Amino acid sequence: MATSSPHIIDSTLRDGEQAPGVVFTLDEKLRIAALLEDCGVKEVEVGTPAMGEDEVRMIREIVQAGFRFDKLCWARAKEFDIEESAKTGANRINISFSVSDIQLSAMGRNTDWVMKQLRPMISFARKRFDFVAIGAQDASRANRDFLDEFIAACLAEGVDRIRLADTVGILNPFSTSQLFSCACEKFPFVDFEFHGHNDLGMATANSVSALLSGAQSVSATINGLGERAGNACLEEVAAAMKISSGIETGIHLTNIQ
C-alpha cells in the first residue's frame, strides 16, 4: 500500500555526478541546490566527503548556504568516511554496506564482516549526526534471509531509515513490489527507501512500484543523471505518482523546466 506522503530524496549532487564526464563546479552545485529547493525537494544527498578536501569544502559551502532542505552525506562503512562527513556540517548521513554475496566476495568480505561492523559504525555515526540511515547496497541480489537479518540488526540499533538499493538495476516493477511488500510486512512502520538504477530502463517504474508497495522514500536525480545508464528520474517519479496514482510528493512540477 502506498505511503500517504512519499518522500523524494534528490541525489543529483552525489550519484548524478558519477555520470561519465560530469563534474560540477561549486557555483553549479549551489545553483542546482537552489533549483532543487524551488522545486520543493525536502532532502538532498549533497555528496561523498571521503572523495577529498575539495568535496568536503564544497559540501560545507552548500550546508552553510541556508537552504531549508535536509543535507545528507553518503559514506562507506568506515570511520574515516563518517569523520569526513561530519566535517561538512551536514545533519544526515547514509552509511552504505554491501549485502549481496557477489559484491562482498569481490571485496574480500562476507556477511559476518557486515554484521560485526554494523553496530560500531552506527554508534560512531550517532555521536556525530542527528539522522543516521543505513544503505543495503545491492539489496536486489542479496540473500533474502540475510537481508532480513541485516534489517533487524539495523532496527535494533535505532537507525532512522533503511535504503534498499537496486545497485545494478536488475529489478522490474513486479519484483520491486515483492521486495517492498515483504519487507514492510515483516518490518512495519519502518522508513524504507528505494534507490534504483536504470540499467534495464525501469528505474522510474521501479521507484513508483516501491512507493506503491510501502516504501516511504525514494532517491532519484534530475533527468535520471547518474552512473552507467543513470538513476530514477526525479521529475518522472513525481509526475507518475501524481498523474497515474493521484498521490502528491511535494515536488512542484511547474517549477521543473
Side-chain angles (χ1 to χ4, degrees):
M1 182 176 179
T3 175
S4 57
S5 55
H7 180 61
I8 298 183
I9 304 154
D10 184 86
S11 187
T12 305
L13 297 180
R14 199 275 298 179
D15 221 351
E17 203 173 28
Q18 295 189 48
V22 175
V23 180
F24 298 127
T25 65
L26 175 58
D27 287 344
E28 288 170 336
K29 290 189 176 191
L30 289 169
R31 177 61 176 154
I32 291 168
L35 291 170
L36 291 173
E37 183 163 85
D38 288 343
C39 291
V41 174
K42 298 296 189 295
E43 183 173 357
V44 173
E45 197 169 33
V46 287
T48 307
M51 288 175 60
E53 293 182 6
D54 286 345
E55 181 78 350
V56 170
R57 177 182 59 82
M58 287 194 282
I59 294 173
R60 189 183 298 120
E61 291 277 359
I62 296 169
V63 169
Q64 294 176 350
F67 296 114
R68 294 185 299 275
F69 52 70
D70 286 309
K71 295 88 177 173
L72 175 80
C73 289
W74 187 93
R76 296 167 297 182
K78 296 184 176 184
E79 289 187 357
F80 172 79
D81 286 37
I82 298 170
E83 287 279 23
E84 293 301 294
S85 298
K87 291 178 182 178
T88 68
N91 60 326
R92 296 187 172 202
I93 190 170
N94 182 89
I95 306 171
S96 182
F97 286 86
S98 293
V99 294
S100 70
D101 290 334
I102 189 168
Q103 274 205 349
L104 287 168
S105 177
M107 300 164 61
R109 293 170 178 161
N110 56 33
T111 54
D112 288 341
W113 179 89
V114 172
M115 299 308 291
K116 288 177 181 177
Q117 290 295 310
L118 194 59
R119 184 173 184 178
M121 289 299 105
I122 294 172
S123 177
F124 193 77
R126 280 230 166 269
K127 297 172 183 176
R128 293 159 176 80
F129 291 91
D130 300 329
F131 185 103
V132 177
I134 294 295
Q137 188 172 331
D138 208 23
S140 53
R141 294 193 294 177
N143 175 278
R144 294 301 167 86
D145 289 337
F146 174 70
L147 187 59
D148 287 347
E149 181 184 357
F150 178 85
I151 292 170
C154 289
L155 297 178
E157 297 302 319
V159 302
D160 298 289
R161 183 167 66 218
I162 297 175
R163 168 184 290 181
L164 302 182
D166 184 21
T167 302
V168 295
I170 64 165
L171 293 179
N172 61 55
F174 299 99
S175 54
T176 301
S177 178
Q178 182 184 46
L179 174 64
F180 281 91
S181 295
C182 290
C184 292
E185 182 178 356
K186 292 177 182 177
F187 305 99
F189 312 113
V190 173
D191 184 353
F192 281 114
E193 172 195 344
F194 175 66
H195 180 83
H197 282 264
N198 203 42
D199 298 75
L200 298 178
M202 292 185 281
T204 292
N206 290 343
S207 296
V208 172
S209 179
L211 290 172
L212 295 177
S213 301
Q216 297 290 313
S217 314
V218 295
S219 46
T221 63
I222 295 296
N223 291 330
L225 187 69
E227 62 181 316
R228 301 188 315 276
N231 291 38
C233 181
L234 183 145
E235 58 271 28
E236 289 180 352
V237 173
M241 290 298 293
K242 179 176 182 177
I243 296 169
S244 293
S245 306
I247 298 173
E248 294 285 350
T249 61
I251 301 299
H252 310 314
L253 294 174
T254 54
N255 290 2
I256 296 177
Q257 299 180 1

